[in-house]
Amino acid sequence: MAGPPTSSHESTAKAVSTLPALWVDHHGDALFRFAMMRVRNADTAEDLVQETFLAALGARERFTEAASERTWLIAILRNKIVNHIRSASRQPTVDAGCDSQSAGEAFFDRRGLWKQGPKKWSINPTDLSERSEFWEVFQQCLAKLPPRLADAYVLREIEQMSSEKVCEVLGVSANNLWTQTHRARMMLRSCLEEHWFLDRSPEKRT
Amino acid sequence: MTKLIRIWRLLNIPCEEVVRLVSESLDHDLSRGERFALKSHLIYCKACRRYRRQIAAMRDAVREYVDHIEPSDSLSPVTLSVEARQRMQRALDSHK
């Protein structure tokens, strides 16, 4: 009566196939985190994740088990995020012109010399325990950037798209993009320095 | 003479220009003049050297995160709210 291991094999196969009722439990947080890093707003991120689940529901027959369910859902979400950024970048914003002046002035004097150079720190990628916290601070710093700059940074550095592709999505020239990514890197570096690296330096801990 | 002036200018670009070149070198190939200006400035400017190191480290860290940490970061404090979770579950259930 004791069945051969075929039955357990069957149940494993079943677990791999898509069960939409379990999606929120299995993938909800991961998709939300993925969206938060890229759109930096909880309401927008939730909307995109929900749209992703519904789109996936409609396209379930196109899911092949060659990919993992998570990878498949992330691919749908990534598309929605890029489309969201594409249309957001075509909306007029208040930060369009004014951030261009202030960014450089915050760090350099009139002669273009450092007002205050970078402080000494380095990233230690092996420190596992602090990883999640670090990326939360990183995301908060990203959210503080002017939206256009953050969008350029997300596509170029987080999505690792080519400059050409980012220019196409954002509808900007290459020169424009390089200025945006430059300012974004500069401001992000400074924010991380202030809110992570200096907060945790050994001198401050003791 | 004009060539000497050009070289003199490239040797004397301010830090503000240098950090722009540091960033642009991550987005596209710099011209020969730009590479020369960047390299020679970094020889004597500690602040810009540090800036370049940190910008490169940020890029490496982001890639490491996206490729290896993000997909399975179960410790992250960034999670769906209970309300959002319930809303999504209802939306999924109603489409059955």
Side-chain angles (χ1 to χ4, degrees):
Chain A
M1 191 66 187
T6 45
S7 61
S8 81
H9 177 78
E10 265 169 28
S11 69
T12 341
K14 221 170 193 172
V16 177
S17 73
T18 56
L19 277 177
L22 299 174
W23 285 352
V24 177
D25 276 347
H26 285 178
H27 309 297
D29 287 341
L31 294 190
F32 178 67
R33 201 164 53 240
F34 187 92
M36 274 301 277
M37 185 60 99
R38 288 155 180 82
V39 300
R40 315 167 303 276
N41 172 288
D43 291 338
T44 312
E46 283 173 7
D47 287 348
L48 290 169
V49 171
Q50 177 154 341
E51 282 175 30
T52 297
F53 283 139
L54 296 180
L57 203 58
R60 228 174 346 150
E61 60 283 1
R62 272 184 275 151
F63 172 69
T64 59
E65 286 175 17
S68 81
E69 191 172 84
R70 173 79 56 88
T71 309
W72 175 63
L73 290 168
I74 290 277
I76 298 172
L77 176 59
R78 172 177 284 125
N79 247 318
K80 295 201 175 293
I81 289 169
V82 172
N83 284 333
H84 169 80
I85 293 177
R86 187 193 298 273
S87 56
S89 71
R90 279 153 181 80
Q91 307 285 321
T93 61
V94 280
D95 70 279
C98 53
D99 66 283
S100 56
Q101 296 306 312
S102 54
E105 277 169 22
F107 303 103
F108 299 98
D109 65 18
R110 270 188 315 155
R111 288 153 60 219
L113 304 178
W114 286 101
K115 276 183 187 166
Q116 195 177 37
K119 302 271 181 14
K120 191 176 181 188
W121 53 261
S122 57
I123 297 177
N124 181 6
T126 55
D127 198 342
L128 282 166
S129 62
E130 288 183 337
R131 268 180 175 179
S132 296
E133 276 178 75
F134 172 76
W135 292 108
E136 197 192 5
V137 172
F138 183 93
Q139 187 201 296
Q140 286 161 2
C141 281
L142 192 56
K144 280 189 210 162
L145 300 186
R148 290 287 157 78
L149 303 190
D151 286 342
Y153 185 88
V154 164
L155 296 180
R156 182 77 187 105
E157 296 292 298
I158 298 182
E159 282 305 306
Q160 295 168 39
M161 284 181 180
S162 69
S163 292
E164 293 77 19
K165 178 80 177 133
V166 180
C167 288
E168 184 264 302
V169 172
L170 298 179
V172 298
S173 69
N175 264 309
N176 243 316
L177 173 67
W178 299 334
T179 304
Q180 289 177 341
T181 49
H182 165 47
R183 292 200 186 112
R185 288 176 185 127
M186 190 159 65
M187 294 164 87
L188 201 52
R189 192 211 65 81
S190 163
C191 180
L192 288 174
E193 177 167 289
E194 186 184 340
H195 293 104
W196 180 264
F197 294 105
L198 298 188
D199 263 9
R200 275 145 216 274
S201 63
E203 306 91 75
K204 245 192 168 172
R205 271 188 192 152
T206 49
Chain B
M1 191 58 192
T2 49
K3 199 173 178 188
L4 272 177
I5 292 172
R6 210 177 137 249
I7 291 174
W8 175 251
R9 285 213 180 112
L10 285 175
L11 281 171
N12 281 286
I13 62 171
C15 298
E16 188 171 7
E17 287 286 314
V18 171
V19 297
R20 183 177 162 102
L21 290 179
V22 164
S23 178
E24 287 202 16
S25 72
L26 299 179
D27 289 327
H28 67 102
D29 290 333
L30 301 181
S31 72
R32 261 177 65 189
E34 287 170 333
R35 285 202 304 274
F36 173 72
L38 179 60
K39 259 188 170 166
S40 40
H41 182 96
L42 291 176
I43 290 172
Y44 63 82
C45 181
K46 195 178 171 187
C48 287
R49 272 206 307 278
R50 186 176 279 170
Y51 182 86
R52 184 179 64 161
R53 208 165 41 239
Q54 292 175 350
I55 290 292
M58 273 168 53
R59 169 171 270 203
D60 291 346
V62 166
R63 298 204 161 169
E64 164 78 7
Y65 174 76
V66 170
D67 294 344
H68 298 114
I69 305 171
E70 187 177 48
S72 56
D73 184 3
S74 53
L75 299 171
S76 171
V78 181
T79 53
L80 276 175
S81 66
V82 178
E83 300 81 57
R85 188 180 286 276
Q86 286 168 347
R87 199 172 61 236
M88 286 177 197
Q89 193 66 57
R90 274 198 306 274
L92 276 178
D93 293 343
S94 70
H95 274 75
K96 259 177 201 160

